[in-house]
Amino acid sequence: MFIIRFIFYFTLSFAIMCIPIGGGRQVFDKLYSMVTPYARDAAKATKQKFSSTKRYSKKLYSNSEPSLEEDQVKSKMAAVKKKKSIIKENGPADDTYSDEEQERLRRALSDE
């Protein structure tokens, strides 16, 4: 039904636009000459809006990207260096526990 109605109205509109109004011109030509300046202004305004929106979107996107600067430690008191030196100084733990101490540790850890 929609297609039949569309074809009917399209044909009717085309027939009306082709009616000659004098001087070898049709209704379409007269409407075209009246609407052309407004259509150009609308197209120009739309193009400006799209370009400003595009610039704004690029700016927004470029501000949202994280910077890829490499993090560097510039201090001699860096935690990584301290930790390595502490491990070297202390060495591995050689703790030995008596049976009683081991039992207390097991009870304390199992209560949690």
Side-chain angles (χ1 to χ4, degrees):
M1 185 67 180
F2 170 75
I3 294 177
I4 295 171
R5 198 176 334 155
F6 174 76
I7 292 171
F8 173 74
Y9 285 120
F10 179 78
T11 307
L12 181 66
S13 302
F14 187 76
I16 291 172
M17 294 299 218
C18 290
I19 296 174
I21 56 173
R25 297 180 62 188
Q26 289 90 13
V27 175
F28 176 79
D29 294 332
K30 179 69 173 169
L31 289 175
Y32 179 77
S33 64
M34 289 172 33
V35 173
T36 299
Y38 300 111
R40 286 187 182 146
D41 290 342
K44 184 178 177 182
T46 304
K47 187 175 180 179
Q48 288 175 347
K49 291 291 182 185
F50 278 132
S51 65
S52 65
T53 303
K54 186 177 177 181
R55 268 188 282 116
Y56 179 73
S57 298
K58 282 183 179 179
K59 185 177 178 182
L60 184 67
Y61 181 73
S62 68
N63 286 339
S64 67
E65 291 178 342
S67 61
L68 299 175
E69 297 173 8
E70 191 171 319
D71 196 17
Q72 296 179 355
V73 179
K74 295 182 180 179
S75 172
K76 292 183 180 180
M77 301 301 289
V80 175
K81 291 181 181 178
K82 277 185 175 180
K83 189 174 182 180
K84 287 181 181 177
S85 65
I86 290 173
I87 291 173
K88 286 180 182 177
E89 289 174 8
N90 292 339
D94 292 333
D95 296 336
T96 56
Y97 299 103
S98 67
D99 292 336
E100 184 181 333
E101 290 172 333
Q102 287 179 0
E103 185 60 35
R104 279 194 238 153
L105 282 172
R106 280 193 199 103
R107 274 189 260 133
L109 293 174
S110 65
D111 288 342
E112 295 177 9

